Amino acid sequence: MSLIRRSYVAVLLCLVITGAAIWGVNQHNVQRNIEVTEVKIAVSLTPLASPFLIAEQLGLFEKQGLNVSLFPCASSMACTQLMLNRDVEYATASDSVVMFQSFKQSVLALLVSFVESDNDLKLLALSPSNISEVSQLEDKRVGVVKGSASEFYFDSVLIANNHKALDVEKVYLQPHELVPALLSFRVDAISAWEPMGYKADLQSTSTVKNLGTLGIYQHSFNLLSTTPYLEFAGQEPAYLLKALDEAVEWINAYPDEASRLIAKRLNIPLNQVKWSWEDYVFRLSLGNSLLSNLQLQARWAQAEGLVGDEQPDFRELLFTQPYQQIVALRD
C-alpha cells in the first residue's frame, strides 16, 4: 500500500472514530434530555441552602444535564408543603421538620443532608436581665416556637445543665416575634435559630448573651422528595446530588468567595452571612448520626405530646441509592 493511500486510510479512520464518539455523546445527551425536563426545587432563603444557590450560580445543574428552577420559600415547612402539594419535586428541610412530617406522611424520602451546624440554635438573654447562666432562668419567661427546633433546643439545654425541673414559663411565639419580644423585655430569654442571633446582636443597645450549650444539638438541612416521584425519576436524583457535591467542594475550596456570592444572591449584608459561616459544615452525608438525631427528637416530641405514640422507622425514610452512587464516584 502506498504511503499516500495509508495516510488517506488513517485520516478516514480518525474521522470515523471521532464521528462515532460525537454521536455517542449526543445520544447520551439526548437520552438525558428525554429523562429530565424541568426540575423544581423549593429552597429556603438562608445561607444553609448555599449548595443549591452556588450550584445555580456556577451552572453546575446544567453541567449535569438538569434544567433546575429554584422556588424560594420562607421556611422549611413552607418548602415541604410545596412539595407535598406537588408544586415542586424536591424541597429543602431542617431535621426537625423532617421528624414532625414523618409522623404524618408515609411518602417522604430523604436523599441527603448537605449542611450541619452545632451552633445554629442559641439561648439568648440581654445583659440588663442579669442572667448569665441557665439556673438563673428560674421563674423567668422564655420565648420559644412551639413544637420546633427552638423548643427542642431549649429543653435540651435544660437537661444538659441538670435543670429539667426548673420552674420556667415558656412563652409560645411565632419566629418573627422572638427578637422583638427579647428586645422589649416581654421575655427574659429566647431560644432561636440564626439569623435571629445576628439580628438581636445588631439591634440591641446592650450585650446579648448566649446561655446555650455548644454541640448539644446538631442542626442539619436535608433534601426531600416523595417515593412516588422517585420511583419514576430514573437517574435524575443522582445527577442532582452530583451537582450539589461539586457545589460543596467549591464552597469548601473558596469559602470567602462563596460567602460573597451568597450575600449577593440573598440580598443580605455580608456580615450577616459571615456571622454563622464558620459554624456551617458543608458536606453530603446520609448516615447514623442523622438517624440518631431524628430518633432523639421524636422521643422528645412524643414525651411532649406533640406527635402520636407510634414512632416511624426513620431508616425507611432514607432513599440511599443516589447518595451511594455519589460515594462510589468519589472512590
Side-chain angles (χ1 to χ4, degrees):
M1 184 182 291
S2 69
L3 179 61
I4 294 176
R5 182 167 183 155
R6 285 199 299 269
S7 298
Y8 174 77
V9 172
V11 171
L12 184 61
L13 183 60
C14 288
L15 289 173
V16 170
I17 294 172
T18 302
I22 293 173
W23 182 85
V25 170
N26 288 337
Q27 286 300 106
H28 176 67
N29 289 335
V30 167
Q31 179 68 24
R32 288 181 62 170
N33 287 334
I34 290 173
E35 292 175 355
V36 180
T37 53
E38 183 183 22
V39 182
K40 300 184 290 296
I41 309 173
V43 176
S44 296
L45 292 178
T46 166
L48 288 164
S50 290
F52 289 88
L53 305 178
I54 292 296
E56 176 191 53
Q57 294 288 303
L58 300 184
L60 299 180
F61 294 126
E62 290 85 350
K63 180 180 175 182
Q64 295 301 319
L66 300 176
N67 179 18
V68 170
S69 297
L70 301 183
F71 283 64
C73 38
S75 67
S76 291
M77 189 61 248
C79 287
T80 304
Q81 197 58 55
L82 281 174
M83 183 190 69
L84 293 174
N85 292 343
R86 299 183 181 179
D87 295 318
V88 299
E89 289 80 41
Y90 301 89
T92 62
S94 67
D95 47 278
S96 59
V97 168
V98 172
M99 182 274 294
F100 277 113
Q101 287 299 309
S102 294
F103 278 88
K104 303 174 184 178
Q105 307 288 340
S106 60
V107 297
L108 282 187
L110 196 158
L111 288 92
V112 76
S113 287
F114 52 86
V115 64
E116 300 169 2
S117 173
D118 63 359
N119 195 35
D120 198 63
L121 273 288
K122 298 178 176 72
L123 181 58
L124 304 175
L126 301 181
S127 56
S129 299
N130 294 319
I131 301 172
S132 57
E133 56 186 54
V134 175
S135 61
Q136 294 175 321
L137 290 174
E138 180 80 26
D139 297 324
K140 302 296 184 183
R141 292 162 56 88
V142 178
V144 300
V145 179
K146 185 177 179 61
S148 72
S150 163
E151 188 172 15
F152 173 71
Y153 177 73
F154 177 59
D155 286 353
S156 298
V157 170
L158 292 181
I159 293 171
N161 287 273
N162 296 317
H163 291 304
K164 185 178 180 180
L166 202 67
D167 188 10
V168 180
E169 180 185 352
K170 289 181 181 178
V171 179
Y172 291 119
L173 300 169
Q174 294 300 311
H176 69 274
E177 297 175 314
L178 287 175
V179 173
L182 178 67
L183 299 182
S184 63
F185 295 97
R186 287 187 285 126
V187 295
D188 301 287
I190 59 171
S191 179
W193 54 79
E194 293 297 343
M196 294 183 221
Y198 170 81
K199 291 180 178 179
D201 188 77
L202 186 67
Q203 297 172 18
S204 177
T205 57
S206 56
T207 302
V208 180
K209 299 180 180 180
N210 182 13
L211 310 177
T213 304
L214 184 67
I216 65 169
Y217 172 46
Q218 193 76 13
H219 182 53
S220 70
F221 250 46
N222 311 277
L223 178 63
L224 295 182
S225 188
T226 60
T227 49
Y229 177 78
L230 294 176
E231 285 176 1
F232 299 97
Q235 287 297 301
E236 176 187 289
Y239 297 148
L240 180 56
L241 264 60
K242 177 59 177 172
L244 294 178
D245 199 39
E246 292 189 9
V248 165
E249 185 177 347
W250 191 87
I251 290 170
N252 291 328
Y254 308 102
D256 291 336
E257 189 172 350
S259 61
R260 287 193 293 270
L261 278 177
I262 293 303
K264 183 177 181 181
R265 175 65 175 79
L266 295 178
N267 194 27
I268 58 178
L270 180 59
N271 285 341
Q272 180 175 333
V273 176
K274 288 187 174 294
W275 175 268
S276 299
W277 192 252
E278 292 187 1
D279 295 327
Y280 298 151
V281 178
F282 291 105
R283 63 179 179 182
L284 299 194
S285 62
L286 194 65
N288 291 330
S289 61
L290 175 62
L291 286 174
S292 298
N293 191 14
L294 292 172
Q295 291 164 352
L296 179 62
Q297 290 190 59
R299 288 194 292 271
W300 164 80
Q302 287 174 312
E304 293 294 314
L306 300 172
V307 294
D309 294 332
E310 186 175 350
Q311 185 176 136
D313 186 349
F314 291 108
R315 292 171 298 181
E316 296 181 357
L317 176 69
L318 305 186
F319 191 84
T320 61
Q321 185 177 1
Y323 175 70
Q324 290 171 348
Q325 290 180 252
I326 298 303
V327 172
L329 286 174
R330 291 174 184 163
D331 298 338

